[in-house]
């Protein structure tokens, strides 16, 4: 394990992290294209409130040079909640095939929550395929969608397969060079895509021994949800048989790299973390009470071979979600719980560029 703790240096630390991102050669920067897809997925029907067998995708990609961009924020028109970033909707993709990063948001979140990461990577030559998990996103939340964790990595695999045959973007995907990234439960999802096994029973056992740990409490995104064990929830929803096959088809063969931001790793089998072969970077704020490093990312850093652990001073859990707009600050509670967000974003993006350039770009580590 390699451990990196950014020292508390106030504004200088932010400038240093921003420099790391800016240090990527300017010649490699590209305009960002942004597009959306609905792709078929049978397992989505049981999770979505409308029971449609569809998976919603948000894709950031390098566009041809000279493409005009505009600021694309996140939220209803005229009432944006999060700052998105510069992009060109449905722009012509840059020529050639580009390495792919599969992106998973946190519990109850949508791919657009991580526009800062998706757009930042696309500007550096990656196609980022973000998933809004059925029944567990900002627009649609169902009990099954919030309980069937094991479907999350399968959603990412389905997204990659669907995009491979996409008429516009498929020819521009290098699916021989694929990485995964995610925030919070999305970080857990990325680790599962790398071969870790989702284990609801282990999570229940952990919480039985550490009931005061906030990761065991009801998710802030669904405060009215009944507080039951994962085993009980699975049984009440009739998901016992599906949960018994949680590990089947959840890993992506050949996955080269994983970026897991604030991941709740107690949802995974500890033994399986040691079987991850993809190069792994774990990132967490040192002021995160919801998914604390001591019992989560720090544990994975000890178990995943050669993992790199980066702790961001002053950052908390929601510091890694998009920057809130003035309107967002009036309606989203998470905006009050996101200190040092700019530092967290700059550091995470710098680490992502480093990781994925080393492993996915031509000449990178196989």
């Amino acid at each position: 394990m390699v451990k990196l703790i950014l020292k508390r240096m106030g504004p200088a630390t932010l400038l240093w992290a921003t420099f790391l991102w800016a240090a990527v050669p300017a010649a490699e920067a590209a305009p960002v294209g942004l597009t959306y897809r609905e792709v078929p997925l049978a397992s989505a029907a049981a999770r979505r409130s409308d029971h449609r067998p569809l998976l919603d995708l948000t894709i950031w990609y390098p566009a041809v040079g000279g493409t005009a961009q505009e600021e694309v924020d996140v939220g209803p028109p005229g009432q944006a909640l999060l700052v998105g970033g510069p992009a060109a909707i449905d722009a012509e993709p840059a020529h050639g095939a580009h390495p792919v990063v599969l992106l998973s948001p946190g519990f109850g979140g949508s791919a657009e929550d991580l526009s800062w990461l998706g757009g930042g990577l696309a500007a550096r030559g990656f196609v980022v395929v973000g998933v809004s998990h059925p029944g567990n996103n900002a627009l649609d939340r169902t009990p099954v969608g919030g309980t069937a964790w094991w479907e999350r990595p399968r959603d990412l695999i389905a997204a990659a397969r669907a995009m491979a045959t996409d008429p516009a973007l498929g020819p521009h995907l290098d699916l021989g060079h694929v990485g995964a990234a995610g925030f919070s439960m999305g970080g857990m999802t990325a680790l599962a895509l790398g071969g870790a096994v989702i284990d609801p029973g282990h999570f229940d056992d952990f919480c039985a021994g550490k009931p005061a740990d906030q990761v065991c409490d009801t998710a802030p995104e669904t405060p009215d949800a009944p507080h039951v064990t994962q085993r009980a929830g699975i049984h009440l929803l009739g998901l016992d048989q599906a949960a018994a096959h949680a590990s089947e088809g959840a890993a992506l063969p050949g996955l080269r790299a994983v970026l897991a931001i604030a991941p709740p790793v107690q949802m995974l089998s500890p033994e399986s973390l040691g079987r991850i072969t993809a190069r792994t970077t774990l990132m967490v704020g040192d002021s995160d009470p919801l998914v604390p490093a001591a019992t989560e990312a720090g544990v994975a850093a000890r178990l995943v071979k050669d993992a790199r652990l980066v702790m961001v001073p002053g950052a908390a859990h929601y510091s890694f979600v998009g920057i809130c707009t003035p309107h967002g600050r009036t309606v989203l509670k998470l905006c009050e719980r996101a200190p040092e967000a700019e530092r967290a974003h700059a550091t995470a993006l710098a680490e992502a560029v480093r990781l994925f350039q080393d492993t996915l770009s031509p000449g990178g580590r196989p």
Side-chain angles (χ1 to χ4, degrees):
M1 175 186 72
V2 177
K3 184 174 182 179
L4 175 65
I5 302 177
L6 302 180
K7 296 181 179 179
R8 293 181 181 273
M9 296 176 61
T13 304
L14 175 56
L15 290 173
W16 172 80
T18 304
F19 171 78
L20 283 180
W21 176 26
V24 177
E28 296 182 16
V32 175
L34 175 63
T35 193
Y36 307 92
R37 297 287 189 274
E38 284 185 336
V39 299
L41 180 64
S43 67
R47 290 177 281 161
R48 291 177 59 127
S49 60
D50 61 10
H51 303 298
R52 300 170 72 202
L54 295 173
L55 180 64
D56 295 314
L57 308 182
T58 302
I59 305 103
W60 297 266
Y61 56 93
V64 295
T67 298
Q69 303 176 95
E70 61 181 337
E71 289 295 322
V72 182
D73 289 337
V74 180
Q79 294 183 315
L81 302 173
L82 302 173
V83 175
I89 305 296
D90 295 329
E92 180 184 350
H95 303 301
H98 312 285
V100 176
V101 176
L102 304 174
L103 181 63
S104 175
F107 184 92
S110 300
E112 290 85 352
D113 296 349
L114 303 174
S115 292
W116 59 270
L117 180 57
L121 286 172
R124 295 302 184 262
F126 301 92
V127 175
V128 181
V129 180
V131 167
S132 293
H133 296 284
N136 190 229
N137 59 71
L139 299 179
D140 186 30
R141 296 175 184 173
T142 67
V144 174
T147 303
W149 304 339
W150 51 87
E151 295 292 354
R152 285 177 146 254
R154 296 171 186 168
D155 291 344
L156 295 181
I157 293 172
R161 289 174 176 167
M163 291 308 300
T165 58
D166 185 85
L169 288 176
H172 299 282
L173 304 183
D174 178 1
L175 290 171
H177 294 82
V178 179
F183 160 70
S184 193
M185 192 173 279
M188 180 276 293
T189 302
L191 290 166
L193 202 68
V197 175
I198 294 174
D199 187 347
H202 178 268
F203 181 70
D204 281 349
D205 293 343
F206 169 80
C207 290
K210 293 183 178 293
D213 196 304
Q214 289 193 43
V215 78
C216 301
D217 204 352
T218 302
E221 294 82 3
T222 54
D224 298 326
H227 188 73
V228 298
T229 66
Q230 191 67 8
R231 289 187 181 99
I234 287 170
H235 184 68
L236 287 170
L237 293 170
L239 298 174
D240 301 83
Q241 185 174 359
H245 298 279
S247 64
E248 296 177 7
L252 181 64
L255 189 77
R256 293 187 173 218
V258 170
L259 172 66
I261 302 173
V265 302
Q266 298 297 341
M267 297 175 173
L268 302 166
S269 156
E271 295 80 10
S272 68
L273 286 165
R275 297 197 291 270
I276 293 176
T277 58
R279 192 188 299 187
T280 301
T281 295
L282 301 143
M283 177 164 291
V284 64
D286 73 354
S287 300
D288 184 348
L290 296 180
V291 187
T295 53
E296 302 294 344
V299 172
R302 293 192 296 272
L303 295 175
V304 178
K305 183 180 179 181
D306 298 327
R308 176 179 173 85
L309 175 62
V310 181
M311 298 182 68
V312 183
H317 196 68
Y318 294 111
S319 302
F320 295 98
V321 177
I323 302 294
C324 295
T325 64
H327 175 64
R329 288 193 290 271
T330 68
V331 297
L332 295 178
K333 291 183 178 179
L334 67 85
C335 299
E336 302 172 359
R337 307 167 70 179
E340 299 291 350
E342 291 87 353
R343 184 203 313 243
H345 290 188
T347 307
L349 184 54
E351 288 291 334
V353 170
R354 168 182 173 165
L355 172 67
F356 295 130
Q357 284 191 337
D358 284 351
T359 56
L360 307 185
S361 297
R365 193 182 85 170

